[in-house]
Amino acid sequence: NAYIFKPIKNYKYKIAAIDFGIKTNILRILTDYGCRVKVFPAKTKKSTILDYNPDGIFLSNGPGDPSACTYAISTVKSLLGIKPIFGICLGHQILALALGAKTFKLKFGHRGCNHPVKNLETNIVEITSQNHGFAILDNHLPDNIKVTHRNLNDGTIEGIVCKKYSAFSVQHHPEASPGPHDSHYLFMNFIKLINGFK
């Protein structure tokens, strides 16, 4: 069942979080940014999510092969352009598939908390926490997807943006706290995207 995570009185934004295996810390950070977060099960239909009338939609992390999540891909596809979308890890891959990209299984998955990722927009290298076995394929990237982050170990895609639909995502875990909080700005970017969309 859907539930509100730690209801806050004076919230600024309503976020619908689609739960593919969500981490509590993500919900905590969104709440710290003044968001009232309602968490919906992975198979929730578009109409139920829009009935909540969120300001933004968050696609959570989770395990497994993204291409097997056909129900999630079609739901996200139907939400593109209606509300701003931010995805992490599995949510990142599902967003990419909804936008028409393809994913593949990595020979060796990315695990651990010290993966260097380059932000191509700022040229800053971020030390990230990762735990995934699939990635977005570079070939056949639709024209409306721009790559924003790259893994410096193997060159795989670590972040994308689709300005046409006000959607972006990252492969790593910005909510993890291995030490540096290099990726916390992504939550701020989500808020900025929501403000721009309004």
Side-chain angles (χ1 to χ4, degrees):
N1 284 350
Y3 64 93
I4 303 279
F5 175 79
K6 287 189 182 168
I8 49 174
K9 280 181 186 161
N10 303 320
Y11 61 86
K12 294 178 192 151
Y13 313 96
K14 280 165 72 178
I15 303 298
I18 305 179
D19 183 2
F20 304 119
I22 203 161
K23 286 184 171 180
T24 308
N25 208 30
I26 292 174
L27 300 172
R28 212 175 279 133
I29 293 168
L30 286 168
T31 305
D32 288 345
Y33 275 110
C35 299
R36 178 185 197 251
V37 187
K38 188 167 188 177
V39 183
F40 292 90
K43 292 189 175 176
T44 305
K45 290 186 166 55
K46 169 191 176 180
S47 55
T48 309
I49 291 164
L50 292 181
D51 282 347
Y52 175 59
N53 193 24
D55 297 303
I57 294 167
F58 175 77
L59 311 175
S60 92
N61 55 294
D65 181 350
S67 61
C69 305
T70 47
Y71 53 90
I73 296 161
S74 63
T75 301
V76 173
K77 208 173 196 169
S78 70
L79 290 164
L80 289 171
I82 298 175
K83 302 282 179 183
I85 296 175
F86 172 35
I88 286 176
C89 197
L90 183 65
H92 156 78
Q93 296 163 358
I94 286 169
L95 175 64
L97 291 165
L99 288 165
K102 290 184 167 65
T103 53
F104 70 101
K105 191 172 185 352
L106 292 161
K107 191 174 179 187
F108 302 103
H110 295 169
R111 319 275 173 210
C113 59
N114 57 354
H115 289 257
V117 167
K118 187 172 187 179
N119 180 327
L120 303 178
E121 300 184 323
T122 61
N123 277 333
I124 290 170
V125 175
E126 300 162 15
I127 301 304
T128 69
S129 174
Q130 307 211 358
N131 185 15
H132 62 99
F134 292 81
I136 297 172
L137 199 61
D138 255 307
N139 306 345
H140 317 297
L141 264 192
D143 292 341
N144 61 11
I145 290 182
K146 184 181 168 207
V147 177
T148 56
H149 297 73
R150 288 242 175 229
N151 187 304
L152 291 182
N153 289 339
D154 62 6
T156 49
I157 294 172
E158 285 279 350
I160 58 167
V161 64
C162 175
K163 294 213 162 116
K164 181 183 175 186
Y165 296 125
S166 294
F168 75 106
S169 60
V170 290
Q171 180 60 76
H172 49 276
H173 285 270
E175 83 294 342
S177 306
H181 295 126
D182 289 4
S183 305
H184 265 216
Y185 69 89
L186 292 159
F187 292 97
M188 202 63 228
N189 285 0
F190 187 33
I191 300 298
K192 281 181 192 160
L193 193 66
I194 288 167
N195 286 332
F197 197 83
K198 282 180 171 178

